[in-house]
Amino acid sequence: VTEPQASGDVAIERILARLKDDGGRITTPRVEIVKILLASDEHLSADDIAERVQAAHPSVATSTVYRTLETLEQLGVIDHVHVAHGRAHYHLAERDPHQHLACTVCGAIIEAPAALLDDVAARVRRELGFELEAHHSALIGRCRECVATDARSSGA
Amino acid sequence: VTEPQASGDVAIERILARLKDDGGRITTPRVEIVKILLASDEHLSADDIAERVQAAHPSVATSTVYRTLETLEQLGVIDHVHVAHGRAHYHLAERDPHQHLACTVCGAIIEAPAALLDDVAARVRRELGFELEAHHSALIGRCRECVATDARSSGA
DNA sequence: TTTTTTGCAAAACCTTTGCAGTTGG
DNA sequence: CCAACTGCAAAGGTTTTGCAAAAAA
């Protein structure tokens, strides 16, 4: 059986290889951070990631997490989205491209189809010469649950 | 001549009246901040505003600026938009409603038609139950000038 | 060994808060 | 006079940075 059995292993290898090809080094914090990114479907904040790394390796500094995320982003491995209060969330670039909707009430990040802003992007390019980096900023508002909660409490 | 000659005066009066109606007081910092907001077409950060107030009244504290902006926002006089790095920009709510495009390179905020995101808002509401607060977050990307500069430098 | 990466601590950035003193009405 | 507002300074949360020690290649 030469087929890899866990796709995560392959993914890790590929990412670490990219790091190496770039003249980078494979270190424990980096491996752990990549694992966490691969293991999570969610959009994690730098602090979320730091917390998880530190659960297993308490000595890893938060600044290392930031520096690693920056490196991975430069390599095109991950992307980050800004949600409303200056916090960034990170996720693998390889995931299906998608837009982000951030709930101002509960903080949830909901994924929307990548094409959501295509028309808007075309329009601002045509009319204003503006190149939208659509994946880079979340659209903000309230998610289904929080809208429902709101309606319930104000209606009652 | 009972007609006001400068529309700015009327606007100031109206805003200060709202403040007063709400049980608020008319103070020097508040008057100055409202004037600055009225005098500027731009989207100002809290710090921009603080700087301008302090040019004339050096003792006005930045925290007062934040508190005043918060008060004015609660009264519906102003709105704020979040641009990519955790900085908020403030502008009068009375201005023509519009969307904001923030340039990641030069920091400019470009206004776009208010209706820009109407279709998107309708779609995420229908498909995801998400209530977009369209005016609240800027779309980010690169403005015409910065796109041109980029093309020039990478093309050369 | 050499260069990259790390951990730590400190600083930077934007914003909020506590509190005593000031001010508007 | 009294509540609302202010200035100051300190703290909050997130991210960045300087630097010497540690680790990868």
Side-chain angles (χ1 to χ4, degrees):
Chain A
V1 191
T2 50
E3 282 291 299
Q5 71 185 137
S7 65
D9 293 352
V10 181
I12 288 202
E13 294 309 323
R14 274 207 297 149
I15 292 171
L16 297 182
R18 262 209 255 186
L19 214 36
K20 214 173 213 168
D21 288 350
D22 192 57
R25 294 176 182 182
I26 311 303
T27 66
T28 304
R30 288 177 170 193
V31 172
E32 291 306 310
I33 290 168
V34 171
K35 277 188 197 169
I36 286 163
L37 255 7
L38 284 167
S40 171
D41 282 345
E42 308 156 60
H43 295 77
L44 304 172
S45 69
D47 208 55
D48 292 335
I49 296 169
E51 221 169 76
R52 297 184 192 199
V53 184
Q54 286 159 2
H57 304 264
S59 73
V60 172
T62 300
S63 57
T64 299
V65 173
Y66 279 101
R67 285 191 273 226
T68 300
L69 291 172
E70 193 188 4
T71 302
L72 292 174
E73 187 153 18
Q74 278 167 3
L75 291 176
V77 172
I78 62 175
D79 279 328
H80 74 268
V81 214
H82 292 283
V83 301
H85 278 301
R87 229 214 201 80
H89 280 70
Y90 298 83
H91 64 92
L92 291 174
E94 303 192 337
R95 286 229 199 297
D96 300 322
H98 54 267
Q99 298 297 326
H100 301 89
L101 307 177
C103 179
T104 52
V105 181
C106 68
I109 298 186
I110 292 129
E111 300 191 2
L116 185 65
L117 291 179
D118 283 359
D119 290 347
V120 170
R123 184 170 168 193
V124 298
R125 181 182 303 119
R126 178 169 14 93
E127 294 179 10
L128 300 162
F130 190 91
E131 280 300 324
L132 192 62
E133 291 164 18
H135 60 286
H136 222 76
S137 66
L139 294 171
I140 79 186
R142 284 170 304 143
C143 70
R144 191 195 297 279
E145 287 73 26
C146 293
V147 168
T149 304
D150 253 33
R152 218 173 295 135
S153 51
S154 52
Chain B
V1 194
T2 50
E3 281 292 300
Q5 70 184 135
S7 66
D9 293 352
V10 182
I12 287 203
E13 295 310 323
R14 273 206 298 148
I15 292 172
L16 296 182
R18 262 208 257 186
L19 217 33
K20 216 174 213 166
D21 288 351
D22 192 56
R25 292 176 183 180
I26 313 302
T27 65
T28 306
R30 288 177 170 192
V31 172
E32 291 306 311
I33 289 167
V34 171
K35 277 190 197 167
I36 287 163
L37 255 4
L38 284 166
S40 172
D41 282 345
E42 308 157 59
H43 294 77
L44 304 172
S45 68
D47 207 56
D48 292 335
I49 296 169
E51 221 169 76
R52 296 183 193 201
V53 183
Q54 287 159 2
H57 305 264
S59 74
V60 172
T62 301
S63 57
T64 298
V65 173
Y66 278 102
R67 284 191 273 228
T68 300
L69 292 172
E70 194 187 3
T71 301
L72 293 174
E73 186 153 18
Q74 277 165 5
L75 291 176
V77 172
I78 62 175
D79 279 328
H80 74 269
V81 216
H82 292 284
V83 301
H85 280 303
R87 230 213 203 79
H89 281 71
Y90 298 82
H91 64 94
L92 291 174
E94 303 192 337
R95 287 228 198 298
D96 301 321
H98 54 267
Q99 297 297 326
H100 303 87
L101 308 177
C103 179
T104 52
V105 180
C106 68
I109 296 186
I110 292 128
E111 299 191 3
L116 185 64
L117 291 180
D118 284 358
D119 291 346
V120 170
R123 183 170 169 193
V124 297
R125 181 182 303 118
R126 179 167 14 93
E127 295 180 9
L128 301 163
F130 190 91
E131 278 302 322
L132 193 62
E133 289 163 20
H135 59 286
H136 222 77
S137 68
L139 294 170
I140 77 185
R142 284 169 304 143
C143 71
R144 192 196 297 280
E145 286 73 27
C146 292
V147 168
T149 304
D150 253 34
R152 217 174 295 131
S153 51
S154 52

